[in-house]
Amino acid sequence: MSQKAGFETRAIHAGYEPDPTTGAVIPPIYATSTYKQDGVGGLRGGYEYSRSANPTRTALEGALAAVEEGERAFAFASGLAAEDTLVRSTCRPGDHVVLPDDAYGGTFRLFDKVEQSWGVEHTPAPVTDVDAVRAAIRPGQTKLVWLETPTNPLLNVGDIEALAAVAHEAGALLVVDNTFASPYLQQPLTLGADVVVHSTTKYVGGHSDVVGGALVVRDLELADKLTFHQNAIGAVPGPFDCFLTHRGLKTLGVRMDRHCDNAEKVVDFLTRHPGVVEVVYPGLPDHPGHAVASRQMKRYGGMVAFRVAGGEQQALAVCERARVFTLGESLGGVESLIEHPGRMTHASVAGTALEVPADLVRLSVGIETVDDLLADLDRALG
Ligand SMILES: *Cc1c(COP(=O)(O)O)cnc(C)c1O
């Protein structure tokens, strides 16, 4: 599959040719742990043992590399498994990582409670402030500058090109967690990032039916390190999970366009609703990250946050009154979700600098009929 093919063509065709013996158009679920060898060491297609490689996973990894415009992709059992494998492939005790000061909670916990005990230190910095990220770098010691854009739940936007330059000046790699934007809206490797991280659990899988993660890179030396560590650590997804994730990826483009269409209409509705004091969406011209988002994203995504008039009690009530929006954590599936970050996804950062406003509600806008979503929000806002 040529890199020049369009996004949807790559998402549908890259990574797999119809099976030469049966013509199967879709990669079979290779439920096998081991492979017959033609003589000792005579591997067919390099397959030896399914921790090292499995054809269902190979197909998914080929497609993920193609949609991110990378050279190699690596699938993992979860987003956090991908992150841990990346850190262990690139950092040693005494090394240092700059993290977003509003990083995904699980990412922050991984660095704060796990990697730190193995000697990898971290400093938080705001993704919106290039100078603050530069100041947080410890020359010679910082190996990774970690970026999420847009962030969760306040949808702060970081400038990928500018932060890649800052990381490279210091000899560090720029890692971009592209989970919120998805490769349809933003391709960080084309803007200078060295590694893309995904929780494929979210938009890539897209149907809330599988947990998974991925790393995508261009540099082949780094790819070799990741190949080694993916196998040596072994946090790999099984073939059933790979099949579901790959099936989801094929429709990412059409789903994301509908997520964006619906989110834009929800934003327009909320902006005019008297029960809402503020709407947070990078597509709004007064959002502080609007200019950068317009430069580096195709559209502004399906995540929306808003502050409710009447404070925390009213925000909780809105979450509980919604019916089409399901009250729940996670994001990126076809169904709309609503949650109260302060009490749910972000409860662990209460009382810290990362605390989110108590009157904040977060939406993962799904692809249902938009009028039903608007009517549901109207009812929930009372
Ligand atoms: C969910 C998520 C992760 C973690 O991925 P899992 O698949 O849950 O391990 C990492 N980053 C972001 C932005 C996420 O939303």
Side-chain angles (χ1 to χ4, degrees):
M1 179 55 47
S2 134
Q3 288 278 355
K4 296 275 184 309
F7 180 89
E8 291 85 350
T9 310
R10 280 179 275 137
I12 292 167
H13 293 287
Y16 181 73
E17 289 290 336
D19 183 82
T21 47
T22 64
V25 168
I26 296 300
I29 300 170
Y30 280 91
T32 187
S33 59
T34 190
Y35 304 82
K36 176 180 161 58
Q37 304 192 6
D38 299 318
V40 175
L43 307 183
R44 299 186 193 174
Y47 293 103
E48 178 178 27
Y49 182 63
S50 281
R51 172 166 29 75
S52 322
N54 172 285
T56 316
R57 193 174 97 211
T58 305
L60 168 64
E61 291 174 336
L64 285 168
V67 294
E68 282 289 2
E69 302 196 26
E71 285 297 326
R72 296 283 307 281
F74 301 87
F76 292 90
S78 69
L80 289 177
E83 294 181 17
D84 182 46
T85 303
L86 173 63
V87 175
R88 293 206 248 177
S89 306
T90 54
C91 297
R92 292 292 169 270
D95 287 346
H96 173 257
V97 176
V98 178
L99 283 183
D101 67 0
D102 55 352
Y104 171 73
T107 299
F108 180 72
R109 182 179 56 200
L110 176 69
F111 279 96
D112 200 48
K113 299 282 193 285
V114 181
E115 310 301 354
Q116 186 149 281
S117 348
W118 297 95
V120 177
E121 295 172 25
H122 59 87
T123 304
V127 301
T128 52
D129 185 342
V130 176
D131 292 329
V133 171
R134 187 186 287 112
I137 289 177
R138 301 180 190 166
Q141 202 190 348
T142 302
K143 293 294 175 336
L144 304 176
V145 173
W146 199 282
L147 174 61
E148 287 175 29
T149 181
T151 64
N152 177 25
L154 289 170
L155 306 174
N156 290 313
V157 174
D159 185 330
I160 297 172
E161 240 171 336
L163 291 168
V166 164
H168 295 161
E169 268 166 37
L173 301 178
L174 181 73
V175 179
V176 178
D177 181 333
N178 204 25
T179 300
F180 264 47
S182 91
Y184 180 64
L185 299 181
Q186 172 173 286
Q187 285 116 25
L189 300 175
T190 68
L191 299 168
D194 301 284
V195 185
V196 164
V197 172
H198 275 287
S199 170
T200 55
T201 312
K202 315 294 168 50
Y203 285 107
V204 170
H207 296 74
S208 307
D209 53 9
V210 60
V211 170
L215 300 173
V216 192
V217 300
R218 283 186 167 176
D219 182 75
L220 295 179
E221 232 173 278
L222 179 55
D224 284 345
K225 282 190 199 163
L226 296 177
T227 303
F228 175 82
H229 285 84
Q230 183 192 37
N231 179 52
I233 296 169
V236 293
F240 293 89
D241 288 358
C242 291
F243 171 84
L244 283 174
T245 304
H246 196 170
R247 182 163 75 161
L249 178 61
K250 288 169 198 263
T251 56
L252 180 66
V254 288
R255 284 188 286 108
M256 284 316 294
D257 269 329
R258 181 62 71 86
H259 282 295
C260 294
D261 289 346
N262 283 1
E264 285 167 14
K265 288 178 184 138
V266 163
V267 165
D268 181 56
F269 169 83
L270 291 173
T271 309
R272 290 182 288 101
H273 198 287
V276 173
V277 291
E278 188 189 351
V279 182
V280 182
Y281 187 64
L284 288 170
D286 62 355
H287 184 283
H290 181 67
V292 176
S294 303
R295 227 173 29 242
Q296 68 189 19
M297 297 177 77
K298 185 179 164 101
R299 298 181 68 182
Y300 305 98
M303 300 301 296
V304 176
F306 63 99
R307 300 179 68 171
V308 176
E312 182 173 33
Q313 286 316 310
Q314 176 63 0
L316 292 169
V318 168
C319 293
E320 286 167 4
R321 279 197 295 254
R323 289 290 169 267
V324 184
F325 281 85
T326 301
L327 178 61
E329 302 194 357
S330 198
L331 60 114
V334 291
E335 65 291 314
S336 292
L337 298 173
I338 190 166
E339 69 123 358
H340 184 267
R343 293 283 188 97
M344 295 170 62
T345 48
H346 290 65
S348 65
V349 294
T352 75
L354 304 192
E355 190 170 59
V356 294
D359 57 5
L360 190 77
V361 171
R362 187 190 80 176
L363 305 176
S364 172
V365 179
I367 64 172
E368 300 96 334
T369 310
V370 71
D371 288 343
D372 295 330
L373 300 180
L374 302 183
D376 194 43
L377 289 171
D378 200 29
R379 186 168 50 235
L381 282 159

